[in-house]
Amino acid sequence: MVLSKTVAENAEVGRTGILDAAALLLGRQGYGAVSLRMIAEAAGIKAGSIYYHFASKDDIITEILDAGIQAVHDEVRDRVAALSADAPARDVFRAVLRGHLCALLEHGAYTSANVRIFGQVPPEVRDANLPVRRAYEAFLDNQLSELQVRDAIRSDVNLPRFRLLLIGALNATLEWFDPQKGSAEDLADDYADTFLNGILSQSGDNT
Amino acid sequence: MVLSKTVAENAEVGRTGILDAAALLLGRQGYGAVSLRMIAEAAGIKAGSIYYHFASKDDIITEILDAGIQAVHDEVRDRVAALSADAPARDVFRAVLRGHLCALLEHGAYTSANVRIFGQVPPEVRDANLPVRRAYEAFLDNQLSELQVRDAIRSDVNLPRFRLLLIGALNATLEWFDPQKGSAEDLADDYADTFLNGILSQSGDNT
DNA sequence: TCACCTACCTAACACTTGTTAGGTGTCTGG
DNA sequence: CCAGACACCTAACAAGTGTTAGGTAGGTGA
C-alpha cells in the first residue's frame, strides 16, 4: 500500500518533472532553441520516453502556457481578495501589480516561460492558450473597472487600452529584472506610483 | 555606363532584397520559425545563393537587428530635433513616443523584427546588437534627463527604470496594435498623457 | 505464481536545418 | 574579342528535429 503510493508519486514526478524541466528551459532559451532531447535530459530521462506522458511537443507547451497564466491569475486574485472590501484604491492597484510581478519574477518558471515563448509558438498552440489568457484579462478589466466606478481612476481612461499598457510594461521587466538589486514588491510599488500619479512635476505644463 | 550602374543596382537589390524579405518574415514568424530556404524563396532566389552576400544566417540577423534599432533612434531623434528649443515638455515627450511608435508600428519591418526576435537569437548575435541598443537607450535617458532638469519630470522619478517601463509598454503594442482602429500617433499621444498625468482621479486617495 | 500495468529505454524513421563546393550564364572594362 | 567579376544555381553534406515501434525491468492485484 505504501509502495503503490510511491508508484503513483513517481508517475507524478515523471510527468511534472518533464513539465518543470521544459518550463525552465523554455523560459531561459525560448521555443525554437529547446528540443525534446534537451527537455528529456534535464528531466533525467530519454527523449522517446516523453511520449509516454505527452502526445507531442506542442502538448507540453500548451500545458506550460496555461499553467503560466493561471499562476499569475491566482496570485493576483488571492492578493486582491486578501484586502478588506473598503481598501483604498491605491492598495488594490498595488496588490494587482505586486501579484503579477511576484508571480512573474520570483516564483515562476511557467509564468516566465509563458511571457517569453507565447510569441514564438505555432498559432494552434497560441489559440489553445487564449481562453485562460482571456480569463485573466477579463479579471484585470473587472478590477480596473471597479476602481473607475469608485471614481479612483479618471473616467476618460480607456481601460482595455490601459490594461494592455500595464501588462506590457510589467511583462517587460522579465528582460532586465535583477532580484539582487531590489525586490519584485518594491518594483511593483514603484510602478504603481508611476501609473497612478504620472511623472509630471505639476499638473500644469512646464516649458 | 548606364548598364554598369544597373549591375550595381541589381547587386544592391539582391542584398537588400534578402534583408527585406528576412526582416518581414522574422517580424511575423520569429527567429526559430524562419529558415534560410524561406528567406531565399521570399527574396526570389535559392538558399545557397544567400551565401554570396552573407557569411551566415546570424550575419543576416545581426544586420537586421542593428538596422531595426537605428530606424527607431533616427525617427525619434529627428522628431525631437524638429521641435523648437523651448518647446513645452509635453511636446518633447510626445515627440519621443510618436517617433518610437510610428517607427515600430507603421514603417518598420526591421524595427518590429528587432522587437520580436531579440529575445530569441543566440547570445553572440544579441551581444553584437548591444552597442546600437545602448546608444538609443542613452539618447532616451538624455532626453528624459533634460526634462527632469527643467523640472518637468518629478525629481524622485528613477529615470533609467522609467525608461525601461516606457520601452516595455511601447514595444508591447506590437502584439495587438491594429492600424484600422486608430493611428500610431494617436496611440502615442494617449500613452503620453497616461505617463505624464497618471490615471488617478485626484492626487488624494480615494476609498 | 502469473498476468498485467507502469514507466521507462533503444533504435530507427523521415524530414529539415545551416552550410559548402563547384558549376553557369551574363555583363564589363580593356 | 576576351579575361574576369558578378550574381546566381545545383546538389550534396552532416547534424539535429519530432516522432514511433517495439522491447524491458520491476512492482501489483488476484
Side-chain angles (χ1 to χ4, degrees), chain B residues 141-157:
Chain B
D141 284 341
N142 274 342
Q143 292 300 317
L144 292 173
S145 178
E146 244 183 67
L147 294 179
Q148 197 172 43
V149 167
R150 284 166 59 184
D151 200 34
I153 293 180
R154 285 202 319 274
S155 60
D156 66 318
V157 173

PDB file of all heavy atoms in Angstrom, chain B residues 141-157:
ATOM      1  N   ASP B 141      17.674  58.379 -22.310  1.00  0.00           N
ATOM      2  CA  ASP B 141      17.986  58.840 -20.961  1.00  0.00           C
ATOM      3  C   ASP B 141      18.352  60.321 -20.960  1.00  0.00           C
ATOM      4  O   ASP B 141      17.982  61.069 -20.047  1.00  0.00           O
ATOM      5  CB  ASP B 141      19.132  57.998 -20.374  1.00  0.00           C
ATOM      6  CG  ASP B 141      18.647  56.619 -19.944  1.00  0.00           C
ATOM      7  OD1 ASP B 141      17.423  56.451 -19.770  1.00  0.00           O
ATOM      8  OD2 ASP B 141      19.482  55.714 -19.775  1.00  0.00           O
ATOM      9  N   ASN B 142      19.074  60.739 -21.987  1.00  0.00           N
ATOM     10  CA  ASN B 142      19.428  62.156 -22.085  1.00  0.00           C
ATOM     11  C   ASN B 142      18.194  63.033 -22.216  1.00  0.00           C
ATOM     12  O   ASN B 142      18.071  64.057 -21.561  1.00  0.00           O
ATOM     13  CB  ASN B 142      20.345  62.389 -23.294  1.00  0.00           C
ATOM     14  CG  ASN B 142      21.799  62.157 -22.940  1.00  0.00           C
ATOM     15  OD1 ASN B 142      22.148  62.153 -21.756  1.00  0.00           O
ATOM     16  ND2 ASN B 142      22.633  61.960 -23.940  1.00  0.00           N
ATOM     17  N   GLN B 143      17.289  62.618 -23.089  1.00  0.00           N
ATOM     18  CA  GLN B 143      16.066  63.401 -23.292  1.00  0.00           C
ATOM     19  C   GLN B 143      15.274  63.499 -21.994  1.00  0.00           C
ATOM     20  O   GLN B 143      14.833  64.585 -21.595  1.00  0.00           O
ATOM     21  CB  GLN B 143      15.207  62.754 -24.390  1.00  0.00           C
ATOM     22  CG  GLN B 143      15.821  62.821 -25.778  1.00  0.00           C
ATOM     23  CD  GLN B 143      16.056  64.255 -26.218  1.00  0.00           C
ATOM     24  OE1 GLN B 143      15.206  65.123 -26.020  1.00  0.00           O
ATOM     25  NE2 GLN B 143      17.226  64.511 -26.798  1.00  0.00           N
ATOM     26  N   LEU B 144      15.114  62.357 -21.328  1.00  0.00           N
ATOM     27  CA  LEU B 144      14.356  62.343 -20.078  1.00  0.00           C
ATOM     28  C   LEU B 144      15.069  63.177 -19.012  1.00  0.00           C
ATOM     29  O   LEU B 144      14.443  63.914 -18.246  1.00  0.00           O
ATOM     30  CB  LEU B 144      14.163  60.903 -19.589  1.00  0.00           C
ATOM     31  CG  LEU B 144      13.252  60.033 -20.470  1.00  0.00           C
ATOM     32  CD1 LEU B 144      13.273  58.585 -19.992  1.00  0.00           C
ATOM     33  CD2 LEU B 144      11.822  60.567 -20.463  1.00  0.00           C
ATOM     34  N   SER B 145      16.380  63.070 -18.995  1.00  0.00           N
ATOM     35  CA  SER B 145      17.158  63.803 -18.006  1.00  0.00           C
ATOM     36  C   SER B 145      16.991  65.312 -18.193  1.00  0.00           C
ATOM     37  O   SER B 145      16.881  66.062 -17.230  1.00  0.00           O
ATOM     38  CB  SER B 145      18.625  63.403 -18.123  1.00  0.00           C
ATOM     39  OG  SER B 145      19.407  64.142 -17.212  1.00  0.00           O
ATOM     40  N   GLU B 146      16.969  65.731 -19.454  1.00  0.00           N
ATOM     41  CA  GLU B 146      16.764  67.154 -19.734  1.00  0.00           C
ATOM     42  C   GLU B 146      15.416  67.628 -19.195  1.00  0.00           C
ATOM     43  O   GLU B 146      15.294  68.695 -18.605  1.00  0.00           O
ATOM     44  CB  GLU B 146      16.836  67.391 -21.245  1.00  0.00           C
ATOM     45  CG  GLU B 146      18.006  68.269 -21.662  1.00  0.00           C
ATOM     46  CD  GLU B 146      17.990  68.524 -23.164  1.00  0.00           C
ATOM     47  OE1 GLU B 146      17.061  69.218 -23.625  1.00  0.00           O
ATOM     48  OE2 GLU B 146      18.882  68.005 -23.873  1.00  0.00           O
ATOM     49  N   LEU B 147      14.413  66.796 -19.408  1.00  0.00           N
ATOM     50  CA  LEU B 147      13.074  67.154 -18.919  1.00  0.00           C
ATOM     51  C   LEU B 147      13.060  67.222 -17.398  1.00  0.00           C
ATOM     52  O   LEU B 147      12.366  68.051 -16.801  1.00  0.00           O
ATOM     53  CB  LEU B 147      12.036  66.141 -19.409  1.00  0.00           C
ATOM     54  CG  LEU B 147      11.796  66.108 -20.925  1.00  0.00           C
ATOM     55  CD1 LEU B 147      10.764  65.051 -21.287  1.00  0.00           C
ATOM     56  CD2 LEU B 147      11.343  67.483 -21.421  1.00  0.00           C
ATOM     57  N   GLN B 148      13.852  66.355 -16.780  1.00  0.00           N
ATOM     58  CA  GLN B 148      13.882  66.359 -15.325  1.00  0.00           C
ATOM     59  C   GLN B 148      14.633  67.588 -14.808  1.00  0.00           C
ATOM     60  O   GLN B 148      14.215  68.206 -13.819  1.00  0.00           O
ATOM     61  CB  GLN B 148      14.544  65.077 -14.800  1.00  0.00           C
ATOM     62  CG  GLN B 148      14.253  64.793 -13.335  1.00  0.00           C
ATOM     63  CD  GLN B 148      14.750  63.432 -12.904  1.00  0.00           C
ATOM     64  OE1 GLN B 148      15.856  63.030 -13.258  1.00  0.00           O
ATOM     65  NE2 GLN B 148      13.934  62.715 -12.159  1.00  0.00           N
ATOM     66  N   VAL B 149      15.712  67.956 -15.492  1.00  0.00           N
ATOM     67  CA  VAL B 149      16.459  69.154 -15.111  1.00  0.00           C
ATOM     68  C   VAL B 149      15.576  70.386 -15.261  1.00  0.00           C
ATOM     69  O   VAL B 149      15.615  71.306 -14.440  1.00  0.00           O
ATOM     70  CB  VAL B 149      17.729  69.282 -15.986  1.00  0.00           C
ATOM     71  CG1 VAL B 149      18.348  70.662 -15.831  1.00  0.00           C
ATOM     72  CG2 VAL B 149      18.736  68.204 -15.611  1.00  0.00           C
ATOM     73  N   ARG B 150      14.745  70.372 -16.292  1.00  0.00           N
ATOM     74  CA  ARG B 150      13.828  71.512 -16.500  1.00  0.00           C
ATOM     75  C   ARG B 150      12.680  71.494 -15.494  1.00  0.00           C
ATOM     76  O   ARG B 150      11.750  72.287 -15.596  1.00  0.00           O
ATOM     77  CB  ARG B 150      13.265  71.454 -17.916  1.00  0.00           C
ATOM     78  CG  ARG B 150      14.231  71.905 -18.993  1.00  0.00           C
ATOM     79  CD  ARG B 150      13.735  71.514 -20.377  1.00  0.00           C
ATOM     80  NE  ARG B 150      12.414  72.090 -20.667  1.00  0.00           N
ATOM     81  CZ  ARG B 150      11.733  71.828 -21.773  1.00  0.00           C
ATOM     82  NH1 ARG B 150      12.214  70.989 -22.677  1.00  0.00           N
ATOM     83  NH2 ARG B 150      10.560  72.372 -21.970  1.00  0.00           N
ATOM     84  N   ASP B 151      12.713  70.518 -14.606  1.00  0.00           N
ATOM     85  CA  ASP B 151      11.692  70.393 -13.570  1.00  0.00           C
ATOM     86  C   ASP B 151      10.318  70.037 -14.149  1.00  0.00           C
ATOM     87  O   ASP B 151       9.284  70.321 -13.559  1.00  0.00           O
ATOM     88  CB  ASP B 151      11.591  71.676 -12.736  1.00  0.00           C
ATOM     89  CG  ASP B 151      10.932  71.397 -11.403  1.00  0.00           C
ATOM     90  OD1 ASP B 151      11.138  70.288 -10.876  1.00  0.00           O
ATOM     91  OD2 ASP B 151      10.196  72.272 -10.919  1.00  0.00           O
ATOM     92  N   ALA B 152      10.322  69.420 -15.317  1.00  0.00           N
ATOM     93  CA  ALA B 152       9.051  68.958 -15.878  1.00  0.00           C
ATOM     94  C   ALA B 152       8.730  67.569 -15.352  1.00  0.00           C
ATOM     95  O   ALA B 152       7.578  67.247 -15.070  1.00  0.00           O
ATOM     96  CB  ALA B 152       9.123  68.930 -17.404  1.00  0.00           C
ATOM     97  N   ILE B 153       9.751  66.743 -15.199  1.00  0.00           N
ATOM     98  CA  ILE B 153       9.586  65.430 -14.588  1.00  0.00           C
ATOM     99  C   ILE B 153      10.016  65.514 -13.137  1.00  0.00           C
ATOM    100  O   ILE B 153      11.063  66.092 -12.834  1.00  0.00           O
ATOM    101  CB  ILE B 153      10.443  64.380 -15.328  1.00  0.00           C
ATOM    102  CG1 ILE B 153       9.913  64.174 -16.751  1.00  0.00           C
ATOM    103  CG2 ILE B 153      10.421  63.041 -14.574  1.00  0.00           C
ATOM    104  CD1 ILE B 153      10.704  63.144 -17.551  1.00  0.00           C
ATOM    105  N   ARG B 154       9.185  64.942 -12.261  1.00  0.00           N
ATOM    106  CA  ARG B 154       9.491  64.982 -10.828  1.00  0.00           C
ATOM    107  C   ARG B 154      10.891  64.440 -10.554  1.00  0.00           C
ATOM    108  O   ARG B 154      11.352  63.496 -11.202  1.00  0.00           O
ATOM    109  CB  ARG B 154       8.461  64.173 -10.043  1.00  0.00           C
ATOM    110  CG  ARG B 154       7.119  64.835  -9.885  1.00  0.00           C
ATOM    111  CD  ARG B 154       6.371  64.254  -8.682  1.00  0.00           C
ATOM    112  NE  ARG B 154       6.531  62.807  -8.609  1.00  0.00           N
ATOM    113  CZ  ARG B 154       5.751  61.945  -9.253  1.00  0.00           C
ATOM    114  NH1 ARG B 154       4.777  62.390 -10.016  1.00  0.00           N
ATOM    115  NH2 ARG B 154       5.956  60.665  -9.126  1.00  0.00           N
ATOM    116  N   SER B 155      11.556  65.032  -9.590  1.00  0.00           N
ATOM    117  CA  SER B 155      12.941  64.655  -9.316  1.00  0.00           C
ATOM    118  C   SER B 155      13.045  63.275  -8.682  1.00  0.00           C
ATOM    119  O   SER B 155      14.104  62.653  -8.690  1.00  0.00           O
ATOM    120  CB  SER B 155      13.596  65.688  -8.401  1.00  0.00           C
ATOM    121  OG  SER B 155      12.881  65.763  -7.173  1.00  0.00           O
ATOM    122  N   ASP B 156      11.931  62.772  -8.131  1.00  0.00           N
ATOM    123  CA  ASP B 156      12.006  61.456  -7.490  1.00  0.00           C
ATOM    124  C   ASP B 156      11.733  60.321  -8.463  1.00  0.00           C
ATOM    125  O   ASP B 156      11.651  59.159  -8.063  1.00  0.00           O
ATOM    126  CB  ASP B 156      11.016  61.388  -6.313  1.00  0.00           C
ATOM    127  CG  ASP B 156       9.575  61.461  -6.790  1.00  0.00           C
ATOM    128  OD1 ASP B 156       9.309  62.282  -7.692  1.00  0.00           O
ATOM    129  OD2 ASP B 156       8.740  60.711  -6.275  1.00  0.00           O
ATOM    130  N   VAL B 157      11.567  60.636  -9.756  1.00  0.00           N
ATOM    131  CA  VAL B 157      11.363  59.580 -10.746  1.00  0.00           C
ATOM    132  C   VAL B 157      12.712  58.987 -11.140  1.00  0.00           C
ATOM    133  O   VAL B 157      13.607  59.713 -11.578  1.00  0.00           O
ATOM    134  CB  VAL B 157      10.640  60.124 -12.002  1.00  0.00           C
ATOM    135  CG1 VAL B 157      10.585  59.053 -13.084  1.00  0.00           C
ATOM    136  CG2 VAL B 157       9.239  60.599 -11.651  1.00  0.00           C
TER     137      VAL B 157
END
